[in-house]
Amino acid sequence: MNDALDYARANQEHFVGELIDLLRIPSISTDPAYSQSVADAAGWLTEALRDIGVKDAAATETEGHPIVTGEVHVDAALPTALVYGHYDVQPPDPLDLWNSPPFEPMIKDGLLYARGACDDKGQLLMHLKALECWMRTTGKPPVNLKFILEGEEESGSASLSDFIRDHKDALAADIVVISDSSLFAPGIPSITYGLRGMAYVEITLTGPDRDLHSGTYGGAIHNPINALAALIGEMHDANNRITIDGFYDDVRSLSESERSTMAALPFDAEAWAREVGVETPRMEAGYSVLEASTVRPTLDCNGIWGGYTGDGAKTVLPSKASAKISMRLVPDQDPEEIAGLIEAWLRKRVPDSMRLQFRSLHGAQPVLVDTGSAAMTAASKALNDVYGRDPYFTRIGGSIPVVADFKHLLGLDSVLMGFGLDSDAIHSPNEHFGLDRFAQGIEAIVRFHAHYASCAGSA
Ligand code: BES
Ligand code: ZN
């Protein structure tokens, strides 16, 4: 292993150069205007895998964006880890808030700034580079490795479930390994064992059949923006609980031991709020900031539009108003059921003066993974080697839709070993990744492979 680690240290600058190349490709999955760039990123990764020695690396077309796969089979007696990552990125908007262009990577004070630097190009490349460290020194990794890299994670992973269903044998493994989450805090590692799910819907209210003069008609025509705002306002009560009928029915309550474990984590709620410029956090009554932001369900309006939003004033009474609403779900809520509940809730309340259009955009199942596997032990040891302390086991508020698919379709648990930080500004302007963490991640993954070979052998 030492040769592989030496190789990692000697080639760090080279690895950063490659990450910069990958970050230059604007692989924004949600916007059709960028689909060629998404395909270019898939091509880049396929080539990168082949260069490392993954001879069968290939990008498979789907109805959405390509899925990149490849395999290094060493020995049937060794365990197999399936590495998942996503090479698509969120849109960079609002562009004017970036200090440097999002697809022209820039290094400042040890941080690499670019869209996707942390989420997830920087983190997925660590897995390729860790494999390279083995291939260029001992000639093979100490475990069998498979890769599945997708280009639709940020827009709901629509093609991935079918792909997994159709390639069950090719994807067979003992564990999934993913780096698309965060450290608990700088220098404090964690392994994520729970992710929230998601139900994402879009609603439009239509009142009059065209925009109207708000003087001629105002006062006697119901305004769709006013009506939509009222409905959205009604979705939470004074305790900040969600009022959709049946919303909490399937929410598993937290055990006392889970609550006390969370309460004992060194989490500074005030600093957390201050870091985003907020004086006071606001959460569901009876829950801590950490609970509310990781293990309780949410409902948030992600966008709202209608009427005139340009410069100056226009006295218009709009015909339509729309909103995008996402709900983060926790075990055992089901995305389709929740989308059905909010639709029923809206249909019951929509005023006679309005027509409602309702669309469910995508969903993801919430998930909890087994923390007792050999791979978890191996990951803990690897993180301890690098950070000098055992990782915390934590649940996070974000979603990685495929984790539930791996569980339900392949029967596989995932080890979520992430190296981001909440402050890396993923999905925000000025996303960045610490080059120290990029190096630590590669080292931890190399060490994970070695520990997993021996933990699984002795299990
Ligand atoms: N890498 C994130 C998940 C994540 C978020 C990990 C926050 C750690 C902290 C992932 O790429 C992501 O953003 N997923 C989407 C999925 C959604 C579109 C279904 C999310 O959580 O919004
Ligand atoms: Zn991600």
Side-chain angles (χ1 to χ4, degrees), residues 4-22 44 112 125-126 128-133 136 435 438-439 442-443 446:
L5 293 175
D6 287 344
Y7 180 91
R9 287 176 202 124
N11 285 279
Q12 166 71 2
E13 245 177 72
H14 192 67
F15 294 166
V16 172
E18 289 179 51
L19 175 55
I20 287 174
D21 280 352
L22 178 59
W44 191 99
L112 174 57
L125 197 65
M126 297 182 318
L128 273 68
K129 296 297 108 181
L131 171 60
E132 179 179 325
C133 293
R136 299 272 197 272
L435 294 178
F438 182 60
I442 295 168
E443 178 175 340
V446 167

PDB file of all heavy atoms in Angstrom, residues 4-22 44 112 125-126 128-133 136 435 438-439 442-443 446:
ATOM      1  N   ALA A   4       1.472   2.750  -3.312  1.00  0.00           N
ATOM      2  CA  ALA A   4       0.287   3.428  -3.862  1.00  0.00           C
ATOM      3  C   ALA A   4       0.125   4.804  -3.213  1.00  0.00           C
ATOM      4  O   ALA A   4      -0.182   5.800  -3.891  1.00  0.00           O
ATOM      5  CB  ALA A   4      -0.950   2.569  -3.631  1.00  0.00           C
ATOM      6  N   LEU A   5       0.377   4.881  -1.909  1.00  0.00           N
ATOM      7  CA  LEU A   5       0.241   6.180  -1.218  1.00  0.00           C
ATOM      8  C   LEU A   5       1.334   7.152  -1.667  1.00  0.00           C
ATOM      9  O   LEU A   5       1.082   8.351  -1.835  1.00  0.00           O
ATOM     10  CB  LEU A   5       0.287   5.980   0.295  1.00  0.00           C
ATOM     11  CG  LEU A   5      -0.920   5.217   0.877  1.00  0.00           C
ATOM     12  CD1 LEU A   5      -0.720   4.962   2.375  1.00  0.00           C
ATOM     13  CD2 LEU A   5      -2.227   5.975   0.650  1.00  0.00           C
ATOM     14  N   ASP A   6       2.537   6.612  -1.866  1.00  0.00           N
ATOM     15  CA  ASP A   6       3.632   7.480  -2.356  1.00  0.00           C
ATOM     16  C   ASP A   6       3.286   8.021  -3.747  1.00  0.00           C
ATOM     17  O   ASP A   6       3.521   9.190  -4.056  1.00  0.00           O
ATOM     18  CB  ASP A   6       4.955   6.691  -2.442  1.00  0.00           C
ATOM     19  CG  ASP A   6       5.522   6.415  -1.060  1.00  0.00           C
ATOM     20  OD1 ASP A   6       5.074   7.078  -0.090  1.00  0.00           O
ATOM     21  OD2 ASP A   6       6.369   5.501  -0.944  1.00  0.00           O
ATOM     22  N   TYR A   7       2.714   7.148  -4.555  1.00  0.00           N
ATOM     23  CA  TYR A   7       2.322   7.570  -5.910  1.00  0.00           C
ATOM     24  C   TYR A   7       1.292   8.704  -5.821  1.00  0.00           C
ATOM     25  O   TYR A   7       1.369   9.700  -6.543  1.00  0.00           O
ATOM     26  CB  TYR A   7       1.749   6.365  -6.673  1.00  0.00           C
ATOM     27  CG  TYR A   7       1.321   6.687  -8.086  1.00  0.00           C
ATOM     28  CD1 TYR A   7       2.199   6.543  -9.153  1.00  0.00           C
ATOM     29  CD2 TYR A   7       0.032   7.170  -8.355  1.00  0.00           C
ATOM     30  CE1 TYR A   7       1.813   6.850 -10.459  1.00  0.00           C
ATOM     31  CE2 TYR A   7      -0.367   7.488  -9.652  1.00  0.00           C
ATOM     32  CZ  TYR A   7       0.531   7.327 -10.693  1.00  0.00           C
ATOM     33  OH  TYR A   7       0.148   7.648 -11.976  1.00  0.00           O
ATOM     34  N   ALA A   8       0.345   8.544  -4.880  1.00  0.00           N
ATOM     35  CA  ALA A   8      -0.691   9.574  -4.717  1.00  0.00           C
ATOM     36  C   ALA A   8      -0.045  10.917  -4.371  1.00  0.00           C
ATOM     37  O   ALA A   8      -0.380  11.959  -4.956  1.00  0.00           O
ATOM     38  CB  ALA A   8      -1.682   9.168  -3.627  1.00  0.00           C
ATOM     39  N   ARG A   9       0.897  10.872  -3.419  1.00  0.00           N
ATOM     40  CA  ARG A   9       1.529  12.148  -2.986  1.00  0.00           C
ATOM     41  C   ARG A   9       2.338  12.739  -4.124  1.00  0.00           C
ATOM     42  O   ARG A   9       2.284  13.942  -4.384  1.00  0.00           O
ATOM     43  CB  ARG A   9       2.404  11.898  -1.756  1.00  0.00           C
ATOM     44  CG  ARG A   9       1.532  11.665  -0.538  1.00  0.00           C
ATOM     45  CD  ARG A   9       2.312  11.306   0.725  1.00  0.00           C
ATOM     46  NE  ARG A   9       1.400  10.626   1.631  1.00  0.00           N
ATOM     47  CZ  ARG A   9       1.598   9.418   2.142  1.00  0.00           C
ATOM     48  NH1 ARG A   9       2.709   8.736   1.887  1.00  0.00           N
ATOM     49  NH2 ARG A   9       0.695   8.882   2.947  1.00  0.00           N
ATOM     50  N   ALA A  10       3.068  11.887  -4.843  1.00  0.00           N
ATOM     51  CA  ALA A  10       3.941  12.398  -5.904  1.00  0.00           C
ATOM     52  C   ALA A  10       3.130  12.978  -7.072  1.00  0.00           C
ATOM     53  O   ALA A  10       3.633  13.799  -7.824  1.00  0.00           O
ATOM     54  CB  ALA A  10       4.848  11.261  -6.398  1.00  0.00           C
ATOM     55  N   ASN A  11       1.887  12.508  -7.226  1.00  0.00           N
ATOM     56  CA  ASN A  11       1.110  12.912  -8.412  1.00  0.00           C
ATOM     57  C   ASN A  11      -0.029  13.871  -8.116  1.00  0.00           C
ATOM     58  O   ASN A  11      -0.870  14.138  -8.976  1.00  0.00           O
ATOM     59  CB  ASN A  11       0.565  11.667  -9.115  1.00  0.00           C
ATOM     60  CG  ASN A  11       1.669  10.955  -9.874  1.00  0.00           C
ATOM     61  OD1 ASN A  11       2.019  11.338 -10.977  1.00  0.00           O
ATOM     62  ND2 ASN A  11       2.256   9.964  -9.234  1.00  0.00           N
ATOM     63  N   GLN A  12      -0.043  14.399  -6.900  1.00  0.00           N
ATOM     64  CA  GLN A  12      -1.171  15.247  -6.490  1.00  0.00           C
ATOM     65  C   GLN A  12      -1.413  16.402  -7.470  1.00  0.00           C
ATOM     66  O   GLN A  12      -2.539  16.679  -7.881  1.00  0.00           O
ATOM     67  CB  GLN A  12      -0.913  15.755  -5.058  1.00  0.00           C
ATOM     68  CG  GLN A  12      -1.802  16.889  -4.583  1.00  0.00           C
ATOM     69  CD  GLN A  12      -3.246  16.435  -4.319  1.00  0.00           C
ATOM     70  OE1 GLN A  12      -3.570  15.263  -4.450  1.00  0.00           O
ATOM     71  NE2 GLN A  12      -4.109  17.381  -3.976  1.00  0.00           N
ATOM     72  N   GLU A  13      -0.322  17.057  -7.879  1.00  0.00           N
ATOM     73  CA  GLU A  13      -0.498  18.223  -8.763  1.00  0.00           C
ATOM     74  C   GLU A  13      -1.107  17.825 -10.106  1.00  0.00           C
ATOM     75  O   GLU A  13      -1.980  18.501 -10.652  1.00  0.00           O
ATOM     76  CB  GLU A  13       0.861  18.853  -9.035  1.00  0.00           C
ATOM     77  CG  GLU A  13       0.944  20.253  -8.459  1.00  0.00           C
ATOM     78  CD  GLU A  13       2.322  20.838  -8.672  1.00  0.00           C
ATOM     79  OE1 GLU A  13       2.657  21.174  -9.831  1.00  0.00           O
ATOM     80  OE2 GLU A  13       3.060  20.926  -7.669  1.00  0.00           O
ATOM     81  N   HIS A  14      -0.628  16.691 -10.571  1.00  0.00           N
ATOM     82  CA  HIS A  14      -1.127  16.127 -11.820  1.00  0.00           C
ATOM     83  C   HIS A  14      -2.630  15.826 -11.691  1.00  0.00           C
ATOM     84  O   HIS A  14      -3.426  16.140 -12.582  1.00  0.00           O
ATOM     85  CB  HIS A  14      -0.328  14.849 -12.028  1.00  0.00           C
ATOM     86  CG  HIS A  14      -0.472  14.272 -13.379  1.00  0.00           C
ATOM     87  ND1 HIS A  14      -0.006  14.887 -14.501  1.00  0.00           N
ATOM     88  CD2 HIS A  14      -1.056  13.115 -13.783  1.00  0.00           C
ATOM     89  CE1 HIS A  14      -0.280  14.130 -15.543  1.00  0.00           C
ATOM     90  NE2 HIS A  14      -0.931  13.056 -15.136  1.00  0.00           N
ATOM     91  N   PHE A  15      -3.018  15.243 -10.553  1.00  0.00           N
ATOM     92  CA  PHE A  15      -4.430  14.899 -10.322  1.00  0.00           C
ATOM     93  C   PHE A  15      -5.292  16.175 -10.313  1.00  0.00           C
ATOM     94  O   PHE A  15      -6.390  16.195 -10.862  1.00  0.00           O
ATOM     95  CB  PHE A  15      -4.617  14.169  -8.985  1.00  0.00           C
ATOM     96  CG  PHE A  15      -3.977  12.801  -8.896  1.00  0.00           C
ATOM     97  CD1 PHE A  15      -3.818  12.171  -7.658  1.00  0.00           C
ATOM     98  CD2 PHE A  15      -3.555  12.127 -10.038  1.00  0.00           C
ATOM     99  CE1 PHE A  15      -3.249  10.910  -7.568  1.00  0.00           C
ATOM    100  CE2 PHE A  15      -2.977  10.866  -9.955  1.00  0.00           C
ATOM    101  CZ  PHE A  15      -2.816  10.256  -8.710  1.00  0.00           C
ATOM    102  N   VAL A  16      -4.764  17.219  -9.691  1.00  0.00           N
ATOM    103  CA  VAL A  16      -5.524  18.478  -9.637  1.00  0.00           C
ATOM    104  C   VAL A  16      -5.696  19.022 -11.063  1.00  0.00           C
ATOM    105  O   VAL A  16      -6.768  19.505 -11.432  1.00  0.00           O
ATOM    106  CB  VAL A  16      -4.817  19.515  -8.727  1.00  0.00           C
ATOM    107  CG1 VAL A  16      -5.489  20.881  -8.834  1.00  0.00           C
ATOM    108  CG2 VAL A  16      -4.798  19.034  -7.271  1.00  0.00           C
ATOM    109  N   GLY A  17      -4.661  18.880 -11.872  1.00  0.00           N
ATOM    110  CA  GLY A  17      -4.734  19.334 -13.269  1.00  0.00           C
ATOM    111  C   GLY A  17      -5.847  18.604 -14.009  1.00  0.00           C
ATOM    112  O   GLY A  17      -6.609  19.203 -14.783  1.00  0.00           O
ATOM    113  N   GLU A  18      -5.958  17.309 -13.760  1.00  0.00           N
ATOM    114  CA  GLU A  18      -7.022  16.544 -14.436  1.00  0.00           C
ATOM    115  C   GLU A  18      -8.395  16.974 -13.946  1.00  0.00           C
ATOM    116  O   GLU A  18      -9.343  17.088 -14.731  1.00  0.00           O
ATOM    117  CB  GLU A  18      -6.831  15.049 -14.187  1.00  0.00           C
ATOM    118  CG  GLU A  18      -5.642  14.503 -14.935  1.00  0.00           C
ATOM    119  CD  GLU A  18      -5.441  13.026 -14.670  1.00  0.00           C
ATOM    120  OE1 GLU A  18      -6.394  12.252 -14.808  1.00  0.00           O
ATOM    121  OE2 GLU A  18      -4.311  12.663 -14.297  1.00  0.00           O
ATOM    122  N   LEU A  19      -8.490  17.218 -12.644  1.00  0.00           N
ATOM    123  CA  LEU A  19      -9.784  17.667 -12.119  1.00  0.00           C
ATOM    124  C   LEU A  19     -10.175  18.998 -12.778  1.00  0.00           C
ATOM    125  O   LEU A  19     -11.335  19.207 -13.157  1.00  0.00           O
ATOM    126  CB  LEU A  19      -9.708  17.807 -10.583  1.00  0.00           C
ATOM    127  CG  LEU A  19     -10.948  18.393  -9.903  1.00  0.00           C
ATOM    128  CD1 LEU A  19     -12.215  17.608 -10.245  1.00  0.00           C
ATOM    129  CD2 LEU A  19     -10.757  18.430  -8.371  1.00  0.00           C
ATOM    130  N   ILE A  20      -9.199  19.858 -12.953  1.00  0.00           N
ATOM    131  CA  ILE A  20      -9.483  21.153 -13.592  1.00  0.00           C
ATOM    132  C   ILE A  20     -10.012  20.941 -15.018  1.00  0.00           C
ATOM    133  O   ILE A  20     -10.987  21.578 -15.435  1.00  0.00           O
ATOM    134  CB  ILE A  20      -8.216  22.048 -13.553  1.00  0.00           C
ATOM    135  CG1 ILE A  20      -8.008  22.527 -12.113  1.00  0.00           C
ATOM    136  CG2 ILE A  20      -8.319  23.207 -14.533  1.00  0.00           C
ATOM    137  CD1 ILE A  20      -6.732  23.308 -11.867  1.00  0.00           C
ATOM    138  N   ASP A  21      -9.414  19.991 -15.736  1.00  0.00           N
ATOM    139  CA  ASP A  21      -9.908  19.682 -17.100  1.00  0.00           C
ATOM    140  C   ASP A  21     -11.373  19.255 -17.054  1.00  0.00           C
ATOM    141  O   ASP A  21     -12.192  19.703 -17.862  1.00  0.00           O
ATOM    142  CB  ASP A  21      -9.127  18.506 -17.706  1.00  0.00           C
ATOM    143  CG  ASP A  21      -7.799  18.936 -18.259  1.00  0.00           C
ATOM    144  OD1 ASP A  21      -7.553  20.154 -18.320  1.00  0.00           O
ATOM    145  OD2 ASP A  21      -7.007  18.039 -18.614  1.00  0.00           O
ATOM    146  N   LEU A  22     -11.687  18.371 -16.122  1.00  0.00           N
ATOM    147  CA  LEU A  22     -13.060  17.849 -16.039  1.00  0.00           C
ATOM    148  C   LEU A  22     -14.042  18.960 -15.647  1.00  0.00           C
ATOM    149  O   LEU A  22     -15.171  19.015 -16.142  1.00  0.00           O
ATOM    150  CB  LEU A  22     -13.097  16.692 -15.015  1.00  0.00           C
ATOM    151  CG  LEU A  22     -14.451  16.037 -14.736  1.00  0.00           C
ATOM    152  CD1 LEU A  22     -15.052  15.445 -16.018  1.00  0.00           C
ATOM    153  CD2 LEU A  22     -14.291  14.924 -13.684  1.00  0.00           C
ATOM    154  N   TRP A  44     -15.059  12.032 -21.401  1.00  0.00           N
ATOM    155  CA  TRP A  44     -13.808  12.333 -20.679  1.00  0.00           C
ATOM    156  C   TRP A  44     -13.540  11.246 -19.635  1.00  0.00           C
ATOM    157  O   TRP A  44     -12.431  10.732 -19.502  1.00  0.00           O
ATOM    158  CB  TRP A  44     -13.951  13.704 -20.005  1.00  0.00           C
ATOM    159  CG  TRP A  44     -12.692  14.271 -19.441  1.00  0.00           C
ATOM    160  CD1 TRP A  44     -11.885  15.200 -20.024  1.00  0.00           C
ATOM    161  CD2 TRP A  44     -12.109  13.975 -18.158  1.00  0.00           C
ATOM    162  NE1 TRP A  44     -10.823  15.494 -19.191  1.00  0.00           N
ATOM    163  CE2 TRP A  44     -10.936  14.749 -18.043  1.00  0.00           C
ATOM    164  CE3 TRP A  44     -12.442  13.131 -17.115  1.00  0.00           C
ATOM    165  CZ2 TRP A  44     -10.119  14.709 -16.912  1.00  0.00           C
ATOM    166  CZ3 TRP A  44     -11.624  13.064 -15.987  1.00  0.00           C
ATOM    167  CH2 TRP A  44     -10.479  13.856 -15.897  1.00  0.00           C
ATOM    168  N   LEU A 112     -10.198  25.076  -4.627  1.00  0.00           N
ATOM    169  CA  LEU A 112     -10.444  25.071  -6.072  1.00  0.00           C
ATOM    170  C   LEU A 112     -11.900  25.454  -6.314  1.00  0.00           C
ATOM    171  O   LEU A 112     -12.807  24.749  -5.878  1.00  0.00           O
ATOM    172  CB  LEU A 112     -10.142  23.665  -6.619  1.00  0.00           C
ATOM    173  CG  LEU A 112     -10.460  23.390  -8.085  1.00  0.00           C
ATOM    174  CD1 LEU A 112      -9.734  24.363  -9.006  1.00  0.00           C
ATOM    175  CD2 LEU A 112     -10.045  21.956  -8.445  1.00  0.00           C
ATOM    176  N   LEU A 125     -13.662  11.877  -8.885  1.00  0.00           N
ATOM    177  CA  LEU A 125     -12.329  11.670  -9.466  1.00  0.00           C
ATOM    178  C   LEU A 125     -11.366  11.045  -8.449  1.00  0.00           C
ATOM    179  O   LEU A 125     -10.444  10.326  -8.828  1.00  0.00           O
ATOM    180  CB  LEU A 125     -11.774  12.995 -10.008  1.00  0.00           C
ATOM    181  CG  LEU A 125     -10.601  12.825 -10.972  1.00  0.00           C
ATOM    182  CD1 LEU A 125     -11.037  12.105 -12.246  1.00  0.00           C
ATOM    183  CD2 LEU A 125      -9.988  14.186 -11.335  1.00  0.00           C
ATOM    184  N   MET A 126     -11.597  11.295  -7.151  1.00  0.00           N
ATOM    185  CA  MET A 126     -10.735  10.686  -6.129  1.00  0.00           C
ATOM    186  C   MET A 126     -10.734   9.161  -6.267  1.00  0.00           C
ATOM    187  O   MET A 126      -9.710   8.519  -6.060  1.00  0.00           O
ATOM    188  CB  MET A 126     -11.241  11.055  -4.728  1.00  0.00           C
ATOM    189  CG  MET A 126     -11.189  12.549  -4.457  1.00  0.00           C
ATOM    190  SD  MET A 126     -11.731  13.027  -2.799  1.00  0.00           S
ATOM    191  CE  MET A 126     -13.142  12.016  -2.532  1.00  0.00           C
ATOM    192  N   LEU A 128     -11.230   7.400  -9.055  1.00  0.00           N
ATOM    193  CA  LEU A 128     -10.445   6.995 -10.231  1.00  0.00           C
ATOM    194  C   LEU A 128      -8.948   7.101  -9.929  1.00  0.00           C
ATOM    195  O   LEU A 128      -8.156   6.240 -10.288  1.00  0.00           O
ATOM    196  CB  LEU A 128     -10.785   7.879 -11.442  1.00  0.00           C
ATOM    197  CG  LEU A 128     -11.969   7.440 -12.311  1.00  0.00           C
ATOM    198  CD1 LEU A 128     -13.279   7.586 -11.562  1.00  0.00           C
ATOM    199  CD2 LEU A 128     -12.027   8.241 -13.605  1.00  0.00           C
ATOM    200  N   LYS A 129      -8.594   8.176  -9.240  1.00  0.00           N
ATOM    201  CA  LYS A 129      -7.167   8.388  -8.967  1.00  0.00           C
ATOM    202  C   LYS A 129      -6.649   7.369  -7.951  1.00  0.00           C
ATOM    203  O   LYS A 129      -5.500   6.928  -8.034  1.00  0.00           O
ATOM    204  CB  LYS A 129      -6.929   9.823  -8.488  1.00  0.00           C
ATOM    205  CG  LYS A 129      -7.256  10.890  -9.531  1.00  0.00           C
ATOM    206  CD  LYS A 129      -6.379  10.796 -10.770  1.00  0.00           C
ATOM    207  CE  LYS A 129      -7.111  10.288 -11.979  1.00  0.00           C
ATOM    208  NZ  LYS A 129      -6.255  10.174 -13.174  1.00  0.00           N
ATOM    209  N   ALA A 130      -7.494   6.989  -6.977  1.00  0.00           N
ATOM    210  CA  ALA A 130      -7.078   5.964  -6.008  1.00  0.00           C
ATOM    211  C   ALA A 130      -6.798   4.651  -6.749  1.00  0.00           C
ATOM    212  O   ALA A 130      -5.803   3.968  -6.481  1.00  0.00           O
ATOM    213  CB  ALA A 130      -8.159   5.760  -4.953  1.00  0.00           C
ATOM    214  N   LEU A 131      -7.655   4.344  -7.729  1.00  0.00           N
ATOM    215  CA  LEU A 131      -7.404   3.129  -8.524  1.00  0.00           C
ATOM    216  C   LEU A 131      -6.100   3.279  -9.308  1.00  0.00           C
ATOM    217  O   LEU A 131      -5.286   2.359  -9.359  1.00  0.00           O
ATOM    218  CB  LEU A 131      -8.586   2.874  -9.465  1.00  0.00           C
ATOM    219  CG  LEU A 131      -8.368   1.762 -10.499  1.00  0.00           C
ATOM    220  CD1 LEU A 131      -8.078   0.418  -9.822  1.00  0.00           C
ATOM    221  CD2 LEU A 131      -9.592   1.632 -11.416  1.00  0.00           C
ATOM    222  N   GLU A 132      -5.896   4.465  -9.877  1.00  0.00           N
ATOM    223  CA  GLU A 132      -4.651   4.688 -10.636  1.00  0.00           C
ATOM    224  C   GLU A 132      -3.427   4.423  -9.750  1.00  0.00           C
ATOM    225  O   GLU A 132      -2.431   3.858 -10.202  1.00  0.00           O
ATOM    226  CB  GLU A 132      -4.629   6.136 -11.173  1.00  0.00           C
ATOM    227  CG  GLU A 132      -3.370   6.448 -11.953  1.00  0.00           C
ATOM    228  CD  GLU A 132      -3.359   7.869 -12.507  1.00  0.00           C
ATOM    229  OE1 GLU A 132      -4.428   8.392 -12.903  1.00  0.00           O
ATOM    230  OE2 GLU A 132      -2.259   8.471 -12.533  1.00  0.00           O
ATOM    231  N   CYS A 133      -3.513   4.856  -8.492  1.00  0.00           N
ATOM    232  CA  CYS A 133      -2.383   4.663  -7.569  1.00  0.00           C
ATOM    233  C   CYS A 133      -2.010   3.184  -7.465  1.00  0.00           C
ATOM    234  O   CYS A 133      -0.831   2.829  -7.418  1.00  0.00           O
ATOM    235  CB  CYS A 133      -2.716   5.202  -6.181  1.00  0.00           C
ATOM    236  SG  CYS A 133      -2.907   6.985  -6.154  1.00  0.00           S
ATOM    237  N   ARG A 136      -0.699   1.767 -11.121  1.00  0.00           N
ATOM    238  CA  ARG A 136       0.644   2.184 -11.551  1.00  0.00           C
ATOM    239  C   ARG A 136       1.740   1.715 -10.591  1.00  0.00           C
ATOM    240  O   ARG A 136       2.902   1.943 -10.840  1.00  0.00           O
ATOM    241  CB  ARG A 136       0.715   3.708 -11.643  1.00  0.00           C
ATOM    242  CG  ARG A 136      -0.247   4.301 -12.636  1.00  0.00           C
ATOM    243  CD  ARG A 136       0.333   4.385 -14.044  1.00  0.00           C
ATOM    244  NE  ARG A 136      -0.459   5.312 -14.845  1.00  0.00           N
ATOM    245  CZ  ARG A 136      -1.543   4.966 -15.546  1.00  0.00           C
ATOM    246  NH1 ARG A 136      -1.936   3.695 -15.565  1.00  0.00           N
ATOM    247  NH2 ARG A 136      -2.214   5.869 -16.227  1.00  0.00           N
ATOM    248  N   LEU A 435      -8.189  21.534  -1.709  1.00  0.00           N
ATOM    249  CA  LEU A 435      -7.245  20.602  -2.333  1.00  0.00           C
ATOM    250  C   LEU A 435      -6.662  19.656  -1.295  1.00  0.00           C
ATOM    251  O   LEU A 435      -6.285  18.523  -1.610  1.00  0.00           O
ATOM    252  CB  LEU A 435      -6.145  21.383  -3.061  1.00  0.00           C
ATOM    253  CG  LEU A 435      -6.681  22.187  -4.257  1.00  0.00           C
ATOM    254  CD1 LEU A 435      -5.561  22.978  -4.922  1.00  0.00           C
ATOM    255  CD2 LEU A 435      -7.344  21.259  -5.282  1.00  0.00           C
ATOM    256  N   PHE A 438      -9.130  16.900  -1.221  1.00  0.00           N
ATOM    257  CA  PHE A 438      -9.007  16.078  -2.450  1.00  0.00           C
ATOM    258  C   PHE A 438      -7.891  15.045  -2.241  1.00  0.00           C
ATOM    259  O   PHE A 438      -8.054  13.857  -2.524  1.00  0.00           O
ATOM    260  CB  PHE A 438      -8.711  17.005  -3.631  1.00  0.00           C
ATOM    261  CG  PHE A 438      -8.591  16.339  -4.974  1.00  0.00           C
ATOM    262  CD1 PHE A 438      -9.647  15.610  -5.519  1.00  0.00           C
ATOM    263  CD2 PHE A 438      -7.414  16.463  -5.724  1.00  0.00           C
ATOM    264  CE1 PHE A 438      -9.538  15.009  -6.774  1.00  0.00           C
ATOM    265  CE2 PHE A 438      -7.303  15.870  -6.985  1.00  0.00           C
ATOM    266  CZ  PHE A 438      -8.363  15.141  -7.503  1.00  0.00           C
ATOM    267  N   ALA A 439      -6.774  15.489  -1.676  1.00  0.00           N
ATOM    268  CA  ALA A 439      -5.651  14.568  -1.423  1.00  0.00           C
ATOM    269  C   ALA A 439      -6.007  13.568  -0.318  1.00  0.00           C
ATOM    270  O   ALA A 439      -5.726  12.367  -0.432  1.00  0.00           O
ATOM    271  CB  ALA A 439      -4.408  15.369  -1.036  1.00  0.00           C
ATOM    272  N   ILE A 442      -8.281  10.820  -1.674  1.00  0.00           N
ATOM    273  CA  ILE A 442      -7.587   9.791  -2.472  1.00  0.00           C
ATOM    274  C   ILE A 442      -6.858   8.832  -1.533  1.00  0.00           C
ATOM    275  O   ILE A 442      -6.950   7.610  -1.663  1.00  0.00           O
ATOM    276  CB  ILE A 442      -6.611  10.452  -3.475  1.00  0.00           C
ATOM    277  CG1 ILE A 442      -7.415  11.270  -4.496  1.00  0.00           C
ATOM    278  CG2 ILE A 442      -5.737   9.408  -4.160  1.00  0.00           C
ATOM    279  CD1 ILE A 442      -6.591  12.194  -5.371  1.00  0.00           C
ATOM    280  N   GLU A 443      -6.198   9.401  -0.539  1.00  0.00           N
ATOM    281  CA  GLU A 443      -5.462   8.547   0.401  1.00  0.00           C
ATOM    282  C   GLU A 443      -6.431   7.628   1.161  1.00  0.00           C
ATOM    283  O   GLU A 443      -6.184   6.428   1.324  1.00  0.00           O
ATOM    284  CB  GLU A 443      -4.673   9.421   1.390  1.00  0.00           C
ATOM    285  CG  GLU A 443      -3.936   8.569   2.392  1.00  0.00           C
ATOM    286  CD  GLU A 443      -3.019   9.351   3.334  1.00  0.00           C
ATOM    287  OE1 GLU A 443      -2.643  10.495   3.002  1.00  0.00           O
ATOM    288  OE2 GLU A 443      -2.709   8.794   4.404  1.00  0.00           O
ATOM    289  N   VAL A 446      -7.593   4.783  -1.105  1.00  0.00           N
ATOM    290  CA  VAL A 446      -6.535   3.765  -1.257  1.00  0.00           C
ATOM    291  C   VAL A 446      -6.505   2.886  -0.010  1.00  0.00           C
ATOM    292  O   VAL A 446      -6.480   1.646  -0.080  1.00  0.00           O
ATOM    293  CB  VAL A 446      -5.162   4.442  -1.491  1.00  0.00           C
ATOM    294  CG1 VAL A 446      -4.026   3.440  -1.330  1.00  0.00           C
ATOM    295  CG2 VAL A 446      -5.115   5.101  -2.864  1.00  0.00           C
TER     296      VAL A 446
END
